[in-house]
Amino acid sequence: MPSLDLVDHSAHNDTSVPPLANASRLVLIDNYDSFTWNVYQYLVLEGATVSVYRNDKITLQELKELNPTQLVISPGPGHPERDAGVSGEAMKHFAGKIPILGVCMGAQCIFSIFGGQVNSAGEIIHGKTSELKHDGKGLYVGLPQDLPVTRYHSLAGMQPTLPDCLKVSAWSARSTGTGTDTIIMGVRHDKYVLEGVQFHPESILTAQGRTMLKNFLKMKGGTWEENDRESDQLSNGSIVEDKSAVNGSSTPDKRSILDKIYEHRKAMVASQMAVPSQRMEDLQAAYDLGLAPPQIPFSDRLRKSPFPLSLMAEIKRASPSKGIISLGTCAPEQARKYAAAGASVISVLTEPEWFKGSIDDLRAVRQALQGYVNRPAILRKDFIFNEYQILEARLAGADSVLLIVKMLEKDVLARLYRYSLSLGMEPLVEVNNEMEMQVAVDLGAKAIGVNNRNLTSFDVDLNTTSRLVDMVPEGTFVCALSGISGPKDVDSYKANKVGAVLVGEALMRAEDPHRFTQELLGFEEDSKSNEQPKPLLVKVCGIRTTEAAEAAISARANLIGMILAPGRSRSVSDEDGQAISRLVKKEQNRRFLDRESFKTMRPIGTMDYFSLFEHIFSTNQLGPLLVGVFQDQPLEYILTKQRQLDLNVVQLHGSEPVEWSSLIPVPVIRAFKPGDIGIASMGCHALPLLDSGRGGTGKRLDTRKVMETLEKNENLRVMLAGGLNHENVKNVIEDMGSVGDRVVGVDVSSGVEDDSGIQDPGRIKMFVETARKVRFSL
């Protein structure tokens, strides 16, 4: 029989160790699970004296009388809030008094009793292994990464509801995911000696499970502070503490966390700079070729905000003080959420070891905001000590970099500040005390960030910013950094010279960043802007006569399309094209001269590329826009026709390269089939047009495929074509449900023709009127 390559990690051949004096009265609560025996076996083999009680056969008072040395809560079926008996109550009572471990349901109990939510994990795992990543502390001291661990569960703690007092200590990729989506596999209390594991350390398929329980039995006291006093062999769950136990060193490491990160970054950057293609000269050559993305002035963008204080929204997956925050976060997706929420700056953590970021995150964020009007400025937040990191940031798309006064000598700080300015980037200079603030002021910094967190002790004092702000000269922008989690934290800043607040963890955990931002900064949206839905844009295509053009103008069509692809049945002649162009331009001039029809234009805030052109087309008051439709003609031909006919818009309906859109001097509508690559490329075509084929066939578009395309990208806005007429356009939009709101326009050609293929003025009028009313009749 072929081998299944299963490794048995069980303890059936292992010998036991002598009884441990500190584990003489360990209580194991059995949640009616057969794995309880395995947990019991490992604990006994490691020297614990264990008493087992079913979760409904003992009361809390009886447990108190047992005076346990440790408490372990076993796995079990069901939900922790309904089926764990005395487990949760026991944890609440003994937390902070003795070491506590929760296994599977026991871990879910921990999550639940401290205010988190336990719901469906999104997958059912029964007897399968996953690779475990961990923080190397507590249960995991001395253990390698990517350990195989066994999972039996369908429930899990929901990461967005992770209580502030719990930190993620271990995690795995979802078995059905791509590796970027993670599920919490371990939690640790930040104050109490209390750990939980979602997996089964006692399973025969879990590697190092017995070592994890051995590490648990070494823990002492009810708090990590007590544990530290009594033992120098275990890490206390805070990244700031002595890591000598993890590293196997007998000499305590007295360096601050800033020192450790700084030294690690120096080694990593030195290694990277030695790689061909990533050397300083390679980066400089790319910069000299003009390959750095366009930038915006950092200080100017900081001053533009819809809120009383500007928001600097931070993307960070972890931090030294909080541990794992959200490993599964997609940086560019988060950036778009922050932009929509009104952020003036998006701060991207690019340090990989402690903050789990990378320069690739910054590069992806910049690409995600391509084409946004009034896009947020992008700040590279890292531990920067040389010019290489600054140039790397500029090439990736940063508008600013962080320079930390505490970690840089004055001459180095001044040199890096000047170098950053030479690349067009005003740095954000970070300070924490009066001495550092004076250095920043003497430097001439225009943007100063006051870190409310002391980088040596990691204590947070929100008054730090308020104490230092008076040292700042007029014209310098002050930002409050760290420790901000709710409205009460920013109230005092509104009354002094603080101009912005940086928010990281709280925004990363917020289910709705937009709503959180509104509540944090005390800003109420103008409800009038959302009172009325926008009517659909209507494009009448295939116009070949001035009579048809007059009908479309009279019906108030937004766009009038002429086919300029020779050989197509609806292609317009040069003579007729010129006549139609003159007619449309005459109407545009008439409306321009009628100044009474123009409304006061209000400035628009941050808006993505597709929404911008929806706004431009829908608020256009010059009359119908003239569109020239091309299909696989040379670029030179398209540019010539655009000039000759004074086209307002060009439509590409063939296999033209997507980047051609950026070479054409007017907005471009580009045709795609649902699911085509490049449809969501911002900064290229103004709007995508979804069509069933080459256009003008009358073939209906598959509504289901359109919905799938829209559901994949919430920023996508599209126009629809293919088989539309005045009888079905309303139903087509209705059938799309909520995603139908992102269909911003419709395109008709054969749907307004009579049986002989001639466009009928009556049908044009009916289609335009019906389509423009669709939004108001749903």
Side-chain angles (χ1 to χ4, degrees), residues 130-134 140 143-149 207-208 212:
S130 296
E131 289 186 350
L132 184 79
K133 292 188 180 297
H134 56 78
Y140 313 104
L143 300 185
Q145 296 292 339
D146 299 319
L147 289 170
V149 297
Q208 301 290 347
M212 296 176 197

Side-chain angles (χ1 to χ4, degrees), residues 151-170:
R151 296 166 56 187
Y152 291 83
H153 67 104
S154 60
L155 302 177
M158 297 293 99
Q159 186 154 315
T161 71
L162 180 71
D164 289 341
C165 62
L166 297 182
K167 310 306 170 192
V168 177
S169 57

Side-chain angles (χ1 to χ4, degrees), residues 26-44 50-55 72-77 103 105 200 202-203 213:
L26 187 151
V27 170
L28 172 58
I29 301 297
D30 176 18
N31 284 305
Y32 285 83
D33 194 279
S34 59
F35 272 111
T36 303
W37 160 250
N38 302 59
V39 177
Y40 171 87
Q41 182 187 26
Y42 272 9
L43 291 169
V44 170
V50 183
S51 298
V52 184
Y53 299 91
R54 288 279 173 85
N55 66 23
V72 178
I73 306 299
S74 85
V103 179
M105 178 187 271
H200 287 251
E202 76 285 358
S203 168
L213 295 183

